[in-house]
């Protein structure tokens, strides 16, 4: 059935995330796909971006030839600093996150559980070289943690699960999951699915997930 | 009081085998590459390195690892596109890895600098990286008890420095420098420019001189800024 | 995003009875006197005040205490040459004092701002001020477990600020401002000068705007600078 | 017997303390008498002074008319900042102290015990209004904690005691006590007395203290 419906592109998912971040928010956009969210922020709104390597007020990438080795984001890409920006050291930077001062953070994920557990740092493979970076700090830090991911792996396995099989990054920390199939809110009552792509039925989505979902009231 | 050292060679002369060394930097920003090169030349071995990354390519920490000078690395993100030197030794068991979430790494280093004995942090609760650690629920939230990380030396890169050891940094190259400077017995700063005492505005000094033992001027080169 | 409030009156309008308020300053330096005057006029009562001192003479925190608006004060140094308003109410039991060593006060406020659940501090071990508190020996040294101190509001005085809430301070008037700014639900900064966004050098911003909700310009007067 | 000997003045005691602080040290001089130490530092040596309200590189008091309300020391006296100074916030300032970065701090005291316990914040009187300030942080913070005090109270009671009767500021934290009668090192073996003022015998000093002292070897 997935063959007959048009899934959202990564840019379309990013645009959905961007639309849900209100004017005046402070946000951290994780490494990878979430970075696209920045490009989708509507004109005229002020969303102040934090990058955990020590910059609040991060701007877009610089024009070619104007890259500065001392000015990069957490993904180690060259960025710029907007007017009103500030630099600070790592403990102060993570204080912003861990102290609950960021309104939003947007992360990728291997798996998210129905209770908001996040797995995004370690595949669980025995011979994998582990690397965690700031993932565990981001997971517990922002007021609202959004995940942005494809609903299915390339092999067709659902990444929204009842219980994560991959090692956890954080427990019960995810609030909302944006996917190419639909958006999901993690609530105390269960997982609420909405914004399904045209042609995808609620029942078909529930079958893909393999556990009961709730309709948006 | 004059903390200026004429050369990296002299600044690093007393580093013994088995030393623990914090190395600043995130990505390439703030990495004291020339100081690490000088450490490679100096020859100390059985080192414990505390840094955010484990080096990439052939440079920096990767150069130390490649020469098997490092016995243990404490970091948050060793695996990278080109972290071959680390990957090989980690997988063969020649190099011990202590993986620490980045925010805990920064805060544990700070704790060492400020005399905190241990602290309860929310990061990593319920994960593999908190396995076996003491936990506690405080006001309805779960925390893990973490201990300070100190070192014998800290290698940091700053933008400007003076003979009293005062430092200012440049943009996101600041990163771990200021906290590492507080947590080592001997902090050595590589600065792009030495300025006269009094030239740094006291309002804008990021690392006060009390935390710095030696300052070496290493003029910025093109590739490594 | 514009955090500039046209008046102190407007900036303080929503403060309810029973609020907890951090107030910056050490001695007279960094005390937001005009904001405290505005709070006196605003009328909120049953306040918990967190500050280094408990006011002297008739001004600042002493003015609030004198009008019996304060039910509890958390501070390190209430007794001063001219702290009559505090002294009377403390001795008669009308005002509760929670006495906290100054370094613990700063570090506990910081802990609230950075999400630390509790920390082991060496200060006050073995003294009256650690009575009944959890202690632990770590690596041969004795520590006391201390918890974060947060507040509903923080009143701080800074030198310059912009519409995004970025602040810089002046000399030793910096004191508690930057840590208090991180630990309150609503931080209100009184600044001697509002400057345009972009006018503050990003390298020298001490309090990034994320920690500040409202900025009010109060031109420096002679007596209170 | 105390009548027949010439006790040191406060300035002479301060000069003794100053002479023991080596060139290149970082020091915090507490409120009150210890402040005099700054005036006794020999010319040509660099001792960098810390004041816990946020300044490293504190200089002498300003000329009349040049006082700045934003520039004071922990005793709330106007001071100046020397070239190479730096300002920082309270948590960073106490980090300098509590993290063991200061080489010396010099404090006044009500009592010091033979094991280095310090009592200097609270007389113990029931109706006293307590105030602690930074005393407890200073007591445990510096690498070497020096006390500077008169040996006897105005009523002639010795302030160097076997066990403090006043509430403690810190446990086992004092390394050396400078007094108007003599200097005392607190050591694991006991209290070593030296630099007795001319005319004061070791035995007389021991009688004043009321507990056994050790001679300097």
């Amino acid at each position: 059935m997935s063959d007959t419906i048009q899934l959202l592109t990564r840019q379309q998912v990013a645009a959905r995330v961007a639309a849900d971040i209100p004017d005046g928010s402070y946000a951290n956009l994780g490494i990878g796909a979430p970075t696209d969210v920045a490009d989708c922020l509507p004109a005229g709104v002020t969303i102040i971006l934090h990058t955990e390597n020590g910059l609040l007020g991060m701007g877009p990438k610089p024009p070619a030839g104007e890259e500065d080795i001392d000015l990069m984001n957490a993904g180690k890409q060259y960025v710029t600093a907007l007017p009103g920006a500030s630099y600070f050291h790592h403990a102060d930077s993570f204080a912003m996150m861990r102290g609950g001062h960021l309104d939003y953070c947007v992360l990728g994920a291997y798996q998210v559980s129905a209770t908001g557990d996040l797995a995004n740092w370690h595949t669980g493979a025995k011979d994998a070289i582990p690397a965690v970076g700031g993932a565990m700090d981001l997971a517990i830090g922002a007021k609202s943690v959004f995940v942005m991911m494809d609903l299915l792996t390339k092999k067709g396995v659902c990444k929204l699960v009842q219980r994560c099989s991959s090692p956890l990054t954080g427990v019960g920390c995810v609030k909302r999951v944006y996917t190419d199939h639909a958006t999901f809110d993690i609530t105390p009552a269960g997982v609420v699915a909405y914004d399904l792509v045209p042609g995808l039925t609620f029942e078909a989505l529930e079958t893909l997930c393999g556990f009961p979902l709730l309709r948006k009231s | 009081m004059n903390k200026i050292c004429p050369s990296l060679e002299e600044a690093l002369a007393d580093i013994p085998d088995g030393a623990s060394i914090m190395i600043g930097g995130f990505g390439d920003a703030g990495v004291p590459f020339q100081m690490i090169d000088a450490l490679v030349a100096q020859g100390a071995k059985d080192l414990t390195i505390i840094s955010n990354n484990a080096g990439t390519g052939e440079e920096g920490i990767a150069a130390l690892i490649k020469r098997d000078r490092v016995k243990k690395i404490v970091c948050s993100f060793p695996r990278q596109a080109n972290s071959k030197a680390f990957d090989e030794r980690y997988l063969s068991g020649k190099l011990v890895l202590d993986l620490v979430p980045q925010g805990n790494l920064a805060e544990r280093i700070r704790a060492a600098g400020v005399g905190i004995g241990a602290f309860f942090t929310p990061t990593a609760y319920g994960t593999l990286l908190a396995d076996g650690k003491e936990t506690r629920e405080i006001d309805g939230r779960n925390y893990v008890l973490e201990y300070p990380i100190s070192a014998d030396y800290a290698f940091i890169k700053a933008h400007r420095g003076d003979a009293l050891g005062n430092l200012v940094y440049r943009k996101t190259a600041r990163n771990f420098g200021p906290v590492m400077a507080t947590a080592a017995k001997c902090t050595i700063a590589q600065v792009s420019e030495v300025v006269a005492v009094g030239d740094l505005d006291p309002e804008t000094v990021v690392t006060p001189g009390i935390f710095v033992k030696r300052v070496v001027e290493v003029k910025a080169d093109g590739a490594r800024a």
Side-chain angles (χ1 to χ4, degrees), chain A, chain B:
Chain A
M1 185 217 61
S2 304
D3 298 330
T4 68
I5 59 166
Q6 188 66 42
L7 299 181
L8 297 183
T9 63
R10 180 166 142 174
Q11 280 69 26
Q12 288 172 316
V13 177
R16 283 212 175 167
V17 177
D20 285 351
I21 300 182
D23 191 16
S25 300
Y26 291 90
N28 182 302
L29 305 176
I31 297 169
T35 309
D36 291 345
V37 175
D39 299 326
C40 300
L41 293 172
V45 307
T46 306
I47 309 292
I48 296 189
L49 298 180
H50 171 257
T51 181
E52 62 265 32
N53 54 320
L55 168 61
L56 187 71
M58 180 173 65
K61 71 176 184 185
E66 293 182 26
E67 298 85 359
D68 183 333
I69 192 183
D70 286 341
L71 184 45
M72 47 176 64
N73 67 14
K76 290 152 193 172
Q77 299 163 308
Y78 293 114
V79 293
T80 51
L82 297 174
S86 51
Y87 298 108
F88 28 80
H89 64 57
H90 245 75
D92 281 350
S93 185
F94 277 79
M96 264 176 217
M97 186 189 293
R98 295 151 56 112
H101 304 284
L102 291 172
D103 298 303
Y104 297 93
C105 93
V106 184
L107 297 169
Y110 297 140
Q111 291 180 319
V112 177
S113 85
T115 56
D117 292 353
L118 171 68
N120 78 346
W121 74 282
H122 194 304
T123 60
K126 279 212 162 166
D127 61 347
I129 295 172
V132 65
M136 290 187 180
D137 304 287
L138 281 164
I140 57 85
K143 288 175 195 151
S144 296
V145 173
F146 289 172
V147 161
M148 181 181 156
M149 66 180 193
D150 291 336
L151 183 63
L152 309 178
T153 65
K154 282 177 190 151
K155 291 181 178 171
V157 180
C158 188
K159 295 163 72 177
L160 187 62
V161 295
Q162 280 197 284
R163 194 152 185 278
C164 294
S165 55
S166 294
L168 295 188
T169 307
V171 177
C173 56
V174 178
K175 188 170 175 183
R176 188 176 291 163
V177 184
Y178 294 86
T179 76
D180 49 357
H181 286 67
T183 303
F184 303 87
D185 278 358
I186 312 290
T187 79
V191 178
V192 179
Y194 56 101
D195 280 358
L196 280 63
V197 292
L200 177 62
T201 66
F202 186 86
E203 291 71 22
L205 182 63
E206 215 167 29
T207 303
L208 280 176
C209 289
F211 64 89
L213 300 172
L214 301 172
R215 287 173 203 271
K216 198 158 188 175
S217 55
Chain B
M1 190 182 288
N2 182 9
K3 299 181 180 183
I4 309 294
C5 261
S7 71
L8 286 169
E9 191 185 354
E10 193 168 308
L12 272 51
D14 63 2
I15 298 179
D17 291 349
S20 56
I21 307 178
M22 292 178 172
I23 301 181
F26 181 94
D28 283 351
V31 175
F33 282 110
Q34 291 84 349
M35 210 181 326
I36 303 172
D37 290 348
L39 182 62
V40 168
Q42 193 259 18
K45 58 182 192 296
D46 297 327
L47 302 172
T48 294
I49 300 294
I50 298 133
S51 192
N52 190 61
N53 304 105
T56 56
E58 309 272 319
E59 282 203 306
I61 296 172
L64 280 172
I65 292 175
K66 205 179 158 190
R67 285 165 183 79
D68 294 312
R69 301 280 181 76
V70 183
K71 69 174 179 195
K72 181 179 175 184
I73 186 152
V74 181
C75 71
S76 89
F77 211 85
R79 184 193 65 230
Q80 304 212 50
N82 191 16
S83 54
K84 190 161 164 269
F86 169 83
D87 297 359
E88 288 174 359
R89 282 158 189 81
Y90 172 73
L91 292 173
S92 69
K94 283 176 72 176
L95 180 53
V96 175
L97 169 66
D98 182 358
L99 190 73
V100 180
Q102 200 172 144
N104 280 354
L105 184 62
E107 191 70 15
R108 290 173 65 184
I109 293 169
R110 178 190 180 273
V114 309
I116 297 295
F119 61 91
F120 286 101
T121 173
T123 297
Y125 177 83
T127 76
L128 283 179
L129 297 187
D131 261 8
K133 296 192 173 185
E134 181 175 338
T135 62
R136 187 179 295 199
E137 187 180 324
I138 301 171
D139 274 345
R141 194 171 194 196
N142 290 305
Y143 295 88
V144 180
L145 187 66
E146 291 286 358
Y147 293 86
I149 298 175
S150 59
D152 299 320
Y153 293 86
F155 285 12
I156 59 178
K157 179 182 163 181
H159 185 44
R160 294 196 177 93
D162 67 21
L164 300 183
N166 294 303
L167 304 178
V168 296
Y169 299 81
R170 191 167 174 277
K171 304 190 178 183
T172 59
R174 189 184 300 197
N175 59 68
F176 281 92
V179 282
M180 287 181 171
T182 69
K185 290 192 198 85
C186 177
T187 292
I188 311 172
Q190 156 181 342
V191 301
S192 302
E193 187 188 1
V194 167
V195 299
V197 169
D199 278 4
L200 298 175
D201 178 356
E203 299 281 5
T204 71
V205 168
V206 174
T207 294
I210 190 171
F211 298 120
V212 178
K213 288 276 194 302
R214 300 169 194 165
V215 175
V216 187
E217 189 176 64
V218 177
K219 298 273 187 205
D221 62 29
R224 289 163 160 189

